[in-house]
Amino acid sequence: MLGAIEAGGTKFVCAVGDESGKIIERIQIPTTVPEETMAEVIQFFKKYNIEAIGIGSFGPIDVNTESPAYGFITSTPKIAWKDYPLVRVIKETFSVPVGFNTDVNAAALGEATFGAAKGLDSCLYITVGTGIGAGAIVQGKLLQGLSHPEMGHILVRRHRADRYEGKCPYHHDCFEGLAAGPSIEERWGDKGIHLVERTEVWDLEGYYIAQALMQYILILSPKKIILGGGVMNQKQVFSYIYKYLPEFNKNYISLPKLSDYIVSPGLGDRAGITGALQLAYQALRNENQV
Ligand code: ADP
Ligand code: ZN
């Protein structure tokens, strides 16, 4: 039996399942303070004979196995979780191999193994929600360098008519600062879900997302692009992305049919937790190799 945790800023999803992606039980726990939330997480897994646990976490997190802070949530604005040693706590409690990566990398792995990018050795998973983050599979492996990528914070060219200053506390008008859910709400004065009829909202959203995708395509050349997160429930955004991307590309890169290339998650809202199960499976396999 494998355990999986999708650690988010508002909730933790915990599941037990197997390497085929089958989920046997799944629960949600509100993200409060570590003592409270983690006590419930531990109680849930204690019911099972768990062989390995995979974690896809909000961040930034330390994913460098050589680092003294490996497995920590590092500089999160959620103060109670800052410098929290998530992997150490799980390892000390269960004494099993632990796989650890970002929530979006876990979702990319889930989609590449069982979802919209199944069978491909390359894909990009992007979430447009409270923040914007992306995870990439490159040549069959999760992309990692000094640390994990932070593709949500790339700089984009501002739309000529957009006077909104941007919401990113670090960069103001980076991609996340101009296009994540809270920036939509602040720019237009209402939550995205109440702006369904306002076509200019989703046109501008598509404009920024297409720009970001253009840059990801130029750098990573992904074989499939998967867009999830709350904002992407507005399916009309896809048509604006399909409209703007060719305007940025100008026929430079030859791309597949856009409606096949840029898609919703095949696993729906289970991409992250299914990927975390795969992280557990990978951790178990790696342990058995040594
Ligand atoms: P999180 O990023 O916190 O994990 P979500 O992916 O649900 O959670 O993103 C939440 C953001 O997405 C909020 O800013 C919310 O307003 C926006 N959002 C959620 N659902 C919708 C929707 N159906 N239409 C437009 N915006 C939405
Ligand atoms: Zn930023």
Side-chain angles (χ1 to χ4, degrees):
M1 193 84 74
L2 301 170
I5 303 173
E6 190 184 7
T10 48
K11 63 177 191 288
F12 274 47
V13 179
C14 297
V16 289
D18 63 25
E19 74 267 18
S20 74
K22 188 171 135 207
I23 291 171
I24 291 146
E25 192 189 351
R26 164 180 146 146
I27 61 159
Q28 284 192 18
I29 298 162
T31 309
T32 57
V33 292
E35 299 71 41
E36 241 172 56
T37 305
M38 292 308 289
E40 285 192 56
V41 169
I42 288 164
Q43 197 187 11
F44 172 70
F45 289 118
K46 280 253 158 98
K47 294 188 294 184
Y48 294 92
N49 181 17
I50 300 285
E51 295 164 272
I53 295 179
I55 306 171
S57 176
F58 72 107
I61 59 177
D62 192 331
V63 290
N64 175 2
T65 49
E66 307 292 309
S67 156
Y70 171 72
F72 281 51
I73 294 172
T74 56
S75 53
T76 169
K78 289 193 84 76
I79 298 301
W81 292 86
K82 191 171 159 11
D83 299 323
Y84 184 73
L86 185 53
V87 170
R88 190 200 298 157
V89 169
I90 293 291
K91 253 200 147 87
E92 284 177 0
T93 310
F94 296 100
S95 304
V96 295
V98 176
F100 184 60
N101 221 308
T102 60
D103 43 8
V104 278
N105 267 341
L109 183 60
E111 285 292 318
T113 316
F114 301 112
K118 189 174 169 186
L120 301 179
D121 63 357
S122 146
C123 78
L124 183 66
Y125 179 94
I126 303 154
T127 182
V128 186
T130 305
I132 299 182
I137 306 265
V138 178
Q139 295 178 329
K141 289 176 74 172
L142 286 169
L143 182 63
Q144 185 171 322
L146 274 177
S147 181
H148 53 81
E150 280 283 359
M151 291 185 242
H153 292 267
I154 60 167
L155 304 180
V156 288
R157 196 184 290 164
R158 183 179 270 285
H159 192 284
R160 275 184 292 113
D162 188 12
R163 297 276 168 271
Y164 175 59
E165 68 271 23
K167 209 171 170 52
C168 174
Y170 293 92
H171 321 108
H172 305 292
D173 59 356
C174 66
F175 177 36
E176 174 176 300
L178 291 173
S183 72
I184 297 174
E185 185 174 343
E186 197 167 74
R187 180 192 287 107
W188 304 101
D190 206 345
K191 283 194 181 307
I193 192 133
H194 301 135
L195 298 165
V196 181
E197 310 297 326
R198 302 269 302 270
T199 52
E200 69 274 28
V201 172
W202 311 110
D203 185 298
L204 186 66
E205 187 66 13
Y207 173 82
Y208 285 125
I209 295 174
Q211 242 191 95
L213 296 191
M214 187 67 224
Q215 298 180 48
Y216 303 150
I217 291 167
L218 289 166
I219 295 169
L220 295 171
S221 197
K223 290 181 181 168
K224 189 76 95 176
I225 296 177
I226 300 150
L227 281 163
V231 172
M232 295 314 297
N233 287 318
Q234 298 298 328
K235 298 292 178 210
Q236 68 273 33
V237 177
F238 282 93
S239 52
Y240 292 109
I241 296 169
Y242 303 153
K243 177 180 94 172
Y244 282 115
L245 188 59
E247 292 183 19
F248 292 119
N249 185 29
K250 308 235 183 262
N251 282 325
Y252 181 59
I253 291 176
S254 144
L255 293 171
K257 188 168 168 238
L258 293 185
S259 56
D260 293 332
Y261 184 48
I262 301 165
V263 298
S264 293
L267 298 171
D269 64 359
R270 286 179 298 113
I273 197 70
T274 306
L277 264 185
Q278 274 302 300
L279 287 174
Y281 182 55
Q282 288 184 349
L284 187 64
R285 267 190 329 199
N286 289 342
E287 194 87 349
N288 290 340
Q289 269 168 18
V290 191

